[in-house]
Amino acid sequence: MTKRRLFARSPIGLLEQSALGGGAPFAFPFSIRSDRRAAVSVAVFSRFAIYANVVSPTTYNALMTEDITVLLRPVGPRELALLEASSWKRWPARLPEQPIFYPVANFEYASEIASKWNVQHSGSGHVTRFEVRTIFMRRYELHQVGASHHVEWWIPAEDLDELNENIVGTIEVIASLGNTASL
């Protein structure tokens, strides 16, 4: 077993892995509220991460006080540009013909949409990942809209500002498909 693998199991190892570009700093395999020792590890790691400029105090506070839900969303180049303009913190307003905002529950479905819809219609597609306070997301049911992995939330456009206020951290691009030479 390599030293990196050993460290990756500890909170500080996760910080080291994240700082080196090896993954998200909060990829913990347990619920924050489910294990007291785990919660202590998260607290130690999170405080260290703040001092190391890996996470903001806002993200730290959200992690320590409430659960979060991970959502994914496929986007095309226009929506990606609008996300960048918001400093990766807010989803743009929906157009009048788009009454629902559809984040999805898994990478397989998000990448399928990005490749079959965004790449075909605009030349490139991207899968984004973001975290939202679970207390907000409990309002919305998950809907299976096709195969077993076609699972998504239906959030009315009028709730998008409130969703944006409940995002923890920033929206990140985790995959790009198609013509990404201009990125």
Side-chain angles (χ1 to χ4, degrees), residues 49-104:
I50 289 171
Y51 297 129
N53 268 343
V54 175
V55 297
S56 70
T58 304
T59 302
Y60 167 77
N61 288 336
L63 251 177
M64 297 313 297
T65 60
E66 58 193 302
D67 291 328
I68 55 175
T69 302
V70 175
L71 292 83
L72 297 125
R73 179 156 169 83
V75 298
R78 281 192 227 149
E79 194 167 17
L80 189 69
L82 293 171
L83 288 171
E84 186 175 17
S86 79
S87 299
W88 306 99
K89 294 182 182 187
R90 300 185 67 78
W91 289 99
R94 307 301 292 157
L95 299 173
E97 65 273 11
Q98 300 172 321
I100 305 290
F101 179 73
Y102 297 98
V104 302

Side-chain angles (χ1 to χ4, degrees), residues 114-136:
S115 65
K116 290 183 178 178
W117 175 260
N118 299 111
V119 171
Q120 287 187 3
H121 287 87
S122 59
S124 68
H126 312 276
V127 176
T128 61
R129 177 187 179 279
F130 60 108
E131 297 172 346
V132 176
R133 291 179 183 94
T134 298
I135 196 162
F136 173 79

Side-chain angles (χ1 to χ4, degrees), residues 15 25-26 44-56:
L15 173 65
F26 297 113
V44 169
F45 164 70
S46 298
R47 286 193 187 275
F48 184 76
I50 289 171
Y51 297 129
N53 268 343
V54 175
V55 297
S56 70

